Amino acid sequence: MILRRPVLTLLTALAFTLMLGPVVILLGVAFTAGSTLAFPPQGLSMRWFAAALEYTPFIDAFGTSLTVALTSTVLALALGIPATLALQRGAIPGRRTIENLFFTPIIVPELVLGLALFQQVMVGLHITALGTLVIGHTVLLLPYTVRVVGASLALADPRLEEAARGLGAGPVRTFLRVTLPVMRPGIVSATILAFITSLNNVPLSLLLTGPGVATLPVEMLNYVQSSFDPVVAAVSVILLALSVAVAFATERLAGFTKVFGR
């Protein structure tokens, strides 16, 4: 089979190299026994993971990132789910225009969005850097919530809800027993996507940091500007392991087929 399709085999190997090559290099640099960012590694050691876990700014920044990611994800879902229901099931004039407005944070460059939030929210309204970060990330994540949850709801047959109401179920019971199960895969998908997007965001967070308040990606960026040791590589491996753990937990608890559909 390999000999019959050499071009396809070569392209597949190239694709895997491009995807997995940076990960292999990152692992080699993180586990190196050397003192600089170099590949191949100069022996194997866990010293840089210990150094990363002992570096207080990274620990504080990771706590900030978790707080911002969790809070903004919850707020984006709390705002996005009702908005999706209104757009998909309500008779709203100019629905298409309103729906496009929800997607503008994806179109507008994050540096522009961050500068606007900095001037209007942090400077104009005197909101703290942490509060502005939460607001900014919520605005950034809202389009993902509306789009992903809306995709699940759009695939559902609205006649199921009409049948439930026709059989005597009230609006709340119809939502809990019919609409919510239909939306659940989209909600889980939007939660994972929003959380990971917020946790790894750099451009928006870079403009909304303040004294003592910085997310982990921003703190890592600041670190590499003055240091060349593999500590940042070790932190990157930890974040990679966290992402794999989230994916594994999702597969064990719900299954990707149930979450993302067939």
Side-chain angles (χ1 to χ4, degrees):
M1 182 64 68
I2 295 177
L3 296 177
R4 292 179 182 177
R5 299 181 178 179
V7 177
L8 180 60
T9 302
L10 179 61
L11 292 177
T12 303
L14 180 61
F16 273 101
T17 301
L18 291 176
M19 289 188 297
L20 300 179
V23 177
V24 173
I25 295 175
L26 177 65
L27 290 172
V29 173
F31 285 97
T32 185
S35 300
T36 58
L37 291 167
F39 188 86
Q42 302 171 4
L44 297 177
S45 173
M46 297 286 292
R47 57 181 289 204
W48 299 114
F49 290 92
L53 296 176
E54 293 174 356
Y55 190 61
T56 303
F58 281 165
I59 302 299
D60 295 340
F62 183 64
T64 301
S65 291
L66 282 181
T67 301
V68 173
L70 290 172
T71 305
S72 58
T73 297
V74 171
L75 290 176
L77 290 171
L79 296 173
I81 292 175
T84 301
L85 286 171
L87 291 172
Q88 295 290 337
R89 295 292 188 260
I92 301 178
R95 182 178 69 87
R96 181 60 61 183
T97 302
I98 297 175
E99 188 175 4
N100 290 334
L101 288 176
F102 275 102
F103 301 145
T104 51
I106 299 179
I107 301 173
V108 177
E110 292 185 29
L111 291 176
V112 177
L113 179 62
L115 181 61
L117 289 170
F118 175 79
Q119 292 180 336
Q120 300 299 323
V121 177
M122 188 181 294
V123 177
L125 300 179
H126 303 288
I127 295 179
T128 62
L130 183 61
T132 307
L133 268 173
V134 170
I135 294 173
H137 280 229
T138 302
V139 172
L140 181 65
L141 302 181
L142 192 57
Y144 297 100
T145 305
V146 174
R147 174 57 68 101
V148 176
V149 177
S152 294
L153 193 58
L155 296 175
D157 191 347
R159 290 177 294 182
L160 294 175
E161 300 167 35
E162 296 174 1
R165 288 192 292 267
L167 293 173
V172 176
R173 189 173 184 181
T174 300
F175 173 77
L176 294 177
R177 300 295 296 272
V178 179
T179 309
L180 186 59
V182 170
M183 297 170 60
R184 186 177 293 116
I187 294 175
V188 176
S189 303
T191 301
I192 297 172
L193 179 62
F195 179 79
I196 294 177
T197 300
S198 176
L199 195 65
N200 296 319
N201 180 268
V202 176
L204 184 65
S205 303
L206 190 62
L207 290 174
L208 301 180
T209 56
V213 178
T215 61
L216 183 56
V218 173
E219 192 63 42
M220 292 168 64
L221 182 63
N222 294 333
Y223 186 87
V224 297
Q225 292 178 351
S226 57
S227 302
F228 300 96
D229 56 52
V231 170
V232 171
V235 176
S236 301
V237 171
I238 294 174
L239 291 177
L240 179 62
L242 178 62
S243 301
V244 173
V246 171
F248 180 77
T250 304
E251 172 62 25
R252 295 286 293 178
L253 296 176
F256 284 113
T257 301
K258 295 180 181 179
V259 172
F260 297 103
R262 294 184 180 275

